Amino acid sequence: MWGGRFAAGPSAIMREINASIPFDKALWREDIAGSRAHAAMLAAQGIISAEDAAAIDAGLARIAADYEADGVPEDWDLEDIHMTTESRLTELIGPAAGRLHTARSRNDQVATDFRLWVRAACERAEAGIEALQQALVTRAGEHAASIMPGFTHLQTAQPVTLGHHLLAYYEMLRRDRSRFADARARMDECPLGSAALAGTGFPIDRAATAAALGFARPTANSLDAVSDRDFALDYLQAAAQCALHLSRLAEELILWASQPFGFVRLPDALSTGSSIMPQKKNPDAAELVRGHSGRIVGALTALMVTMKGLPLAYSKDMQDDKPPVFEAAGLLDLSLAAMAGMIAESTFDTARMRGAAEAGFATATDLADWLVRAAGVPFREAHHITGAAVRLAESRAVALDSLPLADLAAIDPRIDERVFAALSVEASVAARASYGGTAPARVGEQVASARRALGMDK
Ligand code: ARG
């Protein structure tokens, strides 16, 4: 395709280091769509004849059918998906194929193909997130009043409801989804027609190709258009953030599924056994989601470092933009699907969760709050009195609300029998009814509004 200037062909090493077809063949659909839009525009502008455009279009349609059926052939001499397709087009329709590349370069071609691919990856991520959100909201509705220990420092802190805990991830995913939507809106400009770097002398219609490919508008600066990969970085940043959230959820499921916790039974379909220990059921899918998040962050780092310090416009370094994005997208799509399955199909052991909430003096803050409210004690002093009560309960290995009133009153005479109404885990969660709090009534409202936002209810 570029041999005219060269006396000798590339060495074997050059061929190998240069070839991107092993991975950029994944862009074949976008490449053919871009070429068909470009050829139609060239004909409409009178830059190529209608007959040539028709032959090009029919040839490209045939190539698409062949790729669909048999895959994309991998010939390193043809470097990349763009030259692979053009070379096949030449075999099929002869010299007219050579007119397709008028007013175009592989630089704007690859920028266009890759944007189309990344835009679709954003849409897939948004759909995958939505499915996981629906699973979370469904389970949160079932467990709006199921009590579990809430943790800070992974130490029992205050009782919360399982529904509230699950909705925390709904919120994270809501922001993740909006990051993909933002990225998609920003990348909604078509580079095609920027040509190699400076634009073209042919009377092309960039608005027409942009519209044909479903972009809002053409890019405004040809140098930027062929050099910009921040659309791919936007995707990877959104993917990395989302993967970090999935990793935290995965970690909690792994912890909760362990025998000492025993809060959840993960679905058999998303667990594995051990080849040696017959009793084992391992949370491999969750562990892999946690693990994959590292690779997704790695993909983001890889592309950031590739792009750092590149002068305008195109440099071949940028060919390395695709593998990290393809890898991250595959991992993210799978991770989202695996998490949705785990959330939808897990069985929560609510009795065990409740027991754990009762065991850890989780209502100590409620005793302190009661002293403030009912006895007018300053909070700092109430905190101190409650600490003494916890110490006593711990030494006797009983729950706070199992201490006899006489013993509580001996610690502070302002404590009376009304305190017991505040010390149950039910009373504790019901009391936390501030907006955004864990009270079952508040969680029920949040579930209802999330279901409306997701279109699950009218
Ligand atoms: N395979 C190349 C890539 O992915 C296509 C662009 C090549 N452009 C060039 N000037 N050599 O980046």
Short mmCIF file of all heavy atoms in Angstrom, two decimals, residues 251-286:
data_model
loop_
_atom_site.label_atom_id
_atom_site.label_comp_id
_atom_site.label_asym_id
_atom_site.label_seq_id
_atom_site.Cartn_x
_atom_site.Cartn_y
_atom_site.Cartn_z
N GLU A 251 -15.37 -8.15 47.22
CA GLU A 251 -14.65 -8.42 48.47
C GLU A 251 -15.64 -8.67 49.61
O GLU A 251 -15.45 -9.56 50.44
CB GLU A 251 -13.74 -7.23 48.80
CG GLU A 251 -13.20 -7.18 50.21
CD GLU A 251 -12.28 -8.34 50.58
OE1 GLU A 251 -11.89 -9.11 49.69
OE2 GLU A 251 -11.99 -8.47 51.78
N GLU A 252 -16.71 -7.89 49.65
CA GLU A 252 -17.69 -8.09 50.73
C GLU A 252 -18.39 -9.44 50.59
O GLU A 252 -18.62 -10.13 51.57
CB GLU A 252 -18.70 -6.94 50.75
CG GLU A 252 -17.99 -5.63 51.06
CD GLU A 252 -18.89 -4.59 51.69
OE1 GLU A 252 -19.94 -4.28 51.13
OE2 GLU A 252 -18.50 -4.08 52.75
N LEU A 253 -18.71 -9.82 49.35
CA LEU A 253 -19.35 -11.13 49.17
C LEU A 253 -18.40 -12.25 49.59
O LEU A 253 -18.81 -13.25 50.19
CB LEU A 253 -19.79 -11.31 47.71
CG LEU A 253 -20.96 -10.44 47.26
CD1 LEU A 253 -21.31 -10.71 45.80
CD2 LEU A 253 -22.20 -10.66 48.12
N ILE A 254 -17.12 -12.09 49.26
CA ILE A 254 -16.13 -13.11 49.63
C ILE A 254 -16.06 -13.24 51.15
O ILE A 254 -16.08 -14.34 51.71
CB ILE A 254 -14.75 -12.74 49.04
CG1 ILE A 254 -14.78 -12.83 47.50
CG2 ILE A 254 -13.65 -13.63 49.61
CD1 ILE A 254 -13.65 -12.07 46.81
N LEU A 255 -16.00 -12.09 51.79
CA LEU A 255 -15.94 -12.06 53.26
C LEU A 255 -17.23 -12.66 53.85
O LEU A 255 -17.18 -13.51 54.74
CB LEU A 255 -15.82 -10.60 53.67
CG LEU A 255 -14.95 -10.17 54.83
CD1 LEU A 255 -13.54 -10.73 54.72
CD2 LEU A 255 -14.89 -8.62 54.84
N TRP A 256 -18.35 -12.22 53.35
CA TRP A 256 -19.63 -12.66 53.90
C TRP A 256 -19.88 -14.15 53.66
O TRP A 256 -20.62 -14.79 54.41
CB TRP A 256 -20.79 -11.86 53.27
CG TRP A 256 -20.81 -10.41 53.64
CD1 TRP A 256 -19.91 -9.74 54.42
CD2 TRP A 256 -21.80 -9.45 53.25
NE1 TRP A 256 -20.26 -8.42 54.52
CE2 TRP A 256 -21.43 -8.21 53.82
CE3 TRP A 256 -22.95 -9.52 52.47
CZ2 TRP A 256 -22.17 -7.05 53.63
CZ3 TRP A 256 -23.69 -8.36 52.28
CH2 TRP A 256 -23.30 -7.14 52.87
N ALA A 257 -19.29 -14.68 52.59
CA ALA A 257 -19.49 -16.10 52.29
C ALA A 257 -18.55 -16.99 53.10
O ALA A 257 -18.70 -18.21 53.11
CB ALA A 257 -19.27 -16.35 50.79
N SER A 258 -17.56 -16.39 53.78
CA SER A 258 -16.62 -17.20 54.57
C SER A 258 -17.35 -17.77 55.78
O SER A 258 -18.33 -17.19 56.26
CB SER A 258 -15.43 -16.36 55.00
OG SER A 258 -15.83 -15.41 55.98
N GLN A 259 -16.87 -18.89 56.30
CA GLN A 259 -17.57 -19.57 57.40
C GLN A 259 -17.69 -18.69 58.64
O GLN A 259 -18.75 -18.66 59.26
CB GLN A 259 -16.91 -20.91 57.72
CG GLN A 259 -17.23 -22.01 56.70
CD GLN A 259 -16.57 -21.76 55.36
OE1 GLN A 259 -15.53 -21.10 55.29
NE2 GLN A 259 -17.16 -22.27 54.29
N PRO A 260 -16.63 -17.96 59.07
CA PRO A 260 -16.80 -17.15 60.28
C PRO A 260 -17.90 -16.09 60.14
O PRO A 260 -18.61 -15.81 61.10
CB PRO A 260 -15.43 -16.50 60.47
CG PRO A 260 -14.48 -17.41 59.76
CD PRO A 260 -15.25 -17.95 58.59
N PHE A 261 -18.07 -15.54 58.97
CA PHE A 261 -19.18 -14.59 58.76
C PHE A 261 -20.48 -15.36 58.54
O PHE A 261 -21.43 -15.21 59.29
CB PHE A 261 -18.91 -13.69 57.54
CG PHE A 261 -18.18 -12.42 57.86
CD1 PHE A 261 -16.80 -12.39 57.94
CD2 PHE A 261 -18.89 -11.25 58.07
CE1 PHE A 261 -16.13 -11.21 58.23
CE2 PHE A 261 -18.23 -10.06 58.35
CZ PHE A 261 -16.83 -10.05 58.44
N GLY A 262 -20.50 -16.15 57.47
CA GLY A 262 -21.71 -16.93 57.17
C GLY A 262 -22.93 -16.08 56.87
O GLY A 262 -24.05 -16.47 57.15
N PHE A 263 -22.74 -14.91 56.28
CA PHE A 263 -23.87 -14.02 55.99
C PHE A 263 -24.57 -14.37 54.68
O PHE A 263 -25.71 -13.98 54.47
CB PHE A 263 -23.38 -12.56 55.86
CG PHE A 263 -23.02 -11.89 57.15
CD1 PHE A 263 -23.06 -12.57 58.37
CD2 PHE A 263 -22.64 -10.54 57.15
CE1 PHE A 263 -22.72 -11.93 59.56
CE2 PHE A 263 -22.31 -9.89 58.33
CZ PHE A 263 -22.35 -10.58 59.53
N VAL A 264 -23.88 -15.05 53.78
CA VAL A 264 -24.46 -15.25 52.45
C VAL A 264 -24.04 -16.61 51.89
O VAL A 264 -22.96 -17.12 52.20
CB VAL A 264 -24.01 -14.10 51.49
CG1 VAL A 264 -22.54 -14.19 51.14
CG2 VAL A 264 -24.84 -14.05 50.22
N ARG A 265 -24.95 -17.21 51.13
CA ARG A 265 -24.60 -18.39 50.35
C ARG A 265 -24.63 -17.97 48.89
O ARG A 265 -25.66 -17.54 48.37
CB ARG A 265 -25.60 -19.51 50.62
CG ARG A 265 -24.92 -20.87 50.64
CD ARG A 265 -25.79 -22.02 51.08
NE ARG A 265 -26.97 -22.13 50.27
CZ ARG A 265 -28.22 -22.00 50.73
NH1 ARG A 265 -28.42 -21.77 52.01
NH2 ARG A 265 -29.25 -22.11 49.93
N LEU A 266 -23.47 -18.06 48.24
CA LEU A 266 -23.39 -17.64 46.83
C LEU A 266 -24.00 -18.72 45.96
O LEU A 266 -24.02 -19.90 46.33
CB LEU A 266 -21.92 -17.39 46.45
CG LEU A 266 -21.24 -16.26 47.23
CD1 LEU A 266 -19.77 -16.14 46.81
CD2 LEU A 266 -21.94 -14.94 47.00
N PRO A 267 -24.50 -18.34 44.79
CA PRO A 267 -25.13 -19.34 43.91
C PRO A 267 -24.10 -20.37 43.43
O PRO A 267 -22.96 -20.03 43.12
CB PRO A 267 -25.64 -18.50 42.74
CG PRO A 267 -24.93 -17.19 42.81
CD PRO A 267 -24.54 -16.98 44.23
N ASP A 268 -24.52 -21.64 43.40
CA ASP A 268 -23.63 -22.71 42.91
C ASP A 268 -23.12 -22.37 41.52
O ASP A 268 -21.97 -22.64 41.19
CB ASP A 268 -24.40 -24.04 42.83
CG ASP A 268 -24.59 -24.65 44.22
OD1 ASP A 268 -24.07 -24.07 45.20
OD2 ASP A 268 -25.27 -25.69 44.30
N ALA A 269 -23.99 -21.80 40.70
CA ALA A 269 -23.63 -21.56 39.29
C ALA A 269 -22.48 -20.56 39.16
O ALA A 269 -21.84 -20.51 38.11
CB ALA A 269 -24.85 -21.04 38.53
N LEU A 270 -22.20 -19.80 40.21
CA LEU A 270 -21.10 -18.83 40.14
C LEU A 270 -20.04 -19.14 41.21
O LEU A 270 -19.34 -18.25 41.68
CB LEU A 270 -21.64 -17.40 40.28
CG LEU A 270 -22.40 -16.91 39.04
CD1 LEU A 270 -23.28 -15.71 39.35
CD2 LEU A 270 -21.43 -16.56 37.90
N SER A 271 -19.95 -20.41 41.59
CA SER A 271 -18.92 -20.83 42.54
C SER A 271 -18.23 -22.06 41.96
O SER A 271 -18.68 -22.63 40.98
CB SER A 271 -19.55 -21.20 43.89
OG SER A 271 -20.34 -20.15 44.37
N THR A 272 -17.12 -22.45 42.59
CA THR A 272 -16.42 -23.66 42.14
C THR A 272 -16.12 -24.51 43.36
O THR A 272 -16.15 -24.04 44.50
CB THR A 272 -15.09 -23.32 41.45
OG1 THR A 272 -14.28 -22.65 42.41
CG2 THR A 272 -15.29 -22.44 40.23
N GLY A 273 -15.78 -25.78 43.10
CA GLY A 273 -15.38 -26.68 44.17
C GLY A 273 -13.87 -26.80 44.22
O GLY A 273 -13.16 -26.20 43.43
N SER A 274 -13.40 -27.57 45.18
CA SER A 274 -11.97 -27.82 45.30
C SER A 274 -11.69 -29.24 44.84
O SER A 274 -12.50 -30.14 45.06
CB SER A 274 -11.54 -27.65 46.76
OG SER A 274 -10.35 -28.36 47.00
N SER A 275 -10.53 -29.44 44.19
CA SER A 275 -10.21 -30.78 43.70
C SER A 275 -9.78 -31.68 44.86
O SER A 275 -9.74 -32.88 44.73
CB SER A 275 -9.09 -30.69 42.66
OG SER A 275 -8.00 -29.98 43.21
N ILE A 276 -9.47 -31.11 46.01
CA ILE A 276 -8.99 -31.95 47.12
C ILE A 276 -9.90 -31.90 48.34
O ILE A 276 -10.08 -32.89 49.04
CB ILE A 276 -7.52 -31.60 47.48
CG1 ILE A 276 -7.05 -32.40 48.72
CG2 ILE A 276 -7.34 -30.12 47.74
CD1 ILE A 276 -5.56 -32.43 48.88
N MET A 277 -10.53 -30.73 48.60
CA MET A 277 -11.33 -30.61 49.82
C MET A 277 -12.81 -30.63 49.46
O MET A 277 -13.36 -29.65 48.95
CB MET A 277 -10.97 -29.29 50.53
CG MET A 277 -9.55 -29.28 51.05
SD MET A 277 -9.00 -27.61 51.50
CE MET A 277 -8.67 -26.90 49.90
N PRO A 278 -13.46 -31.76 49.73
CA PRO A 278 -14.83 -31.94 49.23
C PRO A 278 -15.83 -30.95 49.81
O PRO A 278 -16.87 -30.70 49.21
CB PRO A 278 -15.19 -33.37 49.69
CG PRO A 278 -13.92 -34.00 50.13
CD PRO A 278 -12.95 -32.92 50.47
N GLN A 279 -15.54 -30.39 50.98
CA GLN A 279 -16.52 -29.49 51.61
C GLN A 279 -16.50 -28.10 51.00
O GLN A 279 -17.39 -27.29 51.26
CB GLN A 279 -16.25 -29.41 53.12
CG GLN A 279 -15.23 -28.36 53.58
CD GLN A 279 -13.76 -28.74 53.34
OE1 GLN A 279 -13.47 -29.71 52.65
NE2 GLN A 279 -12.84 -27.95 53.87
N LYS A 280 -15.48 -27.79 50.18
CA LYS A 280 -15.26 -26.40 49.77
C LYS A 280 -16.24 -25.95 48.69
O LYS A 280 -16.59 -26.68 47.79
CB LYS A 280 -13.83 -26.23 49.21
CG LYS A 280 -12.74 -26.32 50.24
CD LYS A 280 -12.63 -25.11 51.16
CE LYS A 280 -12.16 -23.88 50.47
NZ LYS A 280 -10.73 -23.72 50.33
N LYS A 281 -16.66 -24.69 48.85
CA LYS A 281 -17.37 -24.00 47.77
C LYS A 281 -16.72 -22.63 47.70
O LYS A 281 -16.85 -21.83 48.62
CB LYS A 281 -18.85 -23.90 48.09
CG LYS A 281 -19.65 -23.29 46.97
CD LYS A 281 -21.13 -23.44 47.20
CE LYS A 281 -21.82 -22.14 46.90
NZ LYS A 281 -23.23 -22.17 47.23
N ASN A 282 -15.99 -22.40 46.64
CA ASN A 282 -15.16 -21.21 46.58
C ASN A 282 -15.82 -20.09 45.78
O ASN A 282 -16.44 -20.34 44.76
CB ASN A 282 -13.80 -21.55 45.96
CG ASN A 282 -13.01 -22.50 46.84
OD1 ASN A 282 -13.11 -22.46 48.07
ND2 ASN A 282 -12.23 -23.38 46.22
N PRO A 283 -15.65 -18.86 46.25
CA PRO A 283 -16.29 -17.72 45.58
C PRO A 283 -15.46 -17.20 44.41
O PRO A 283 -15.16 -16.01 44.32
CB PRO A 283 -16.38 -16.67 46.70
CG PRO A 283 -15.18 -16.95 47.55
CD PRO A 283 -14.94 -18.44 47.48
N ASP A 284 -15.08 -18.10 43.50
CA ASP A 284 -14.12 -17.73 42.45
C ASP A 284 -14.59 -16.57 41.58
O ASP A 284 -13.77 -15.73 41.18
CB ASP A 284 -13.84 -18.92 41.52
CG ASP A 284 -13.08 -20.02 42.21
OD1 ASP A 284 -13.37 -20.28 43.39
OD2 ASP A 284 -12.21 -20.62 41.57
N ALA A 285 -15.87 -16.54 41.25
CA ALA A 285 -16.32 -15.46 40.36
C ALA A 285 -16.08 -14.12 41.04
O ALA A 285 -15.58 -13.17 40.42
CB ALA A 285 -17.79 -15.64 39.98
N ALA A 286 -16.42 -14.04 42.33
CA ALA A 286 -16.20 -12.78 43.06
C ALA A 286 -14.71 -12.47 43.15
O ALA A 286 -14.29 -11.31 42.99
CB ALA A 286 -16.81 -12.86 44.45
#
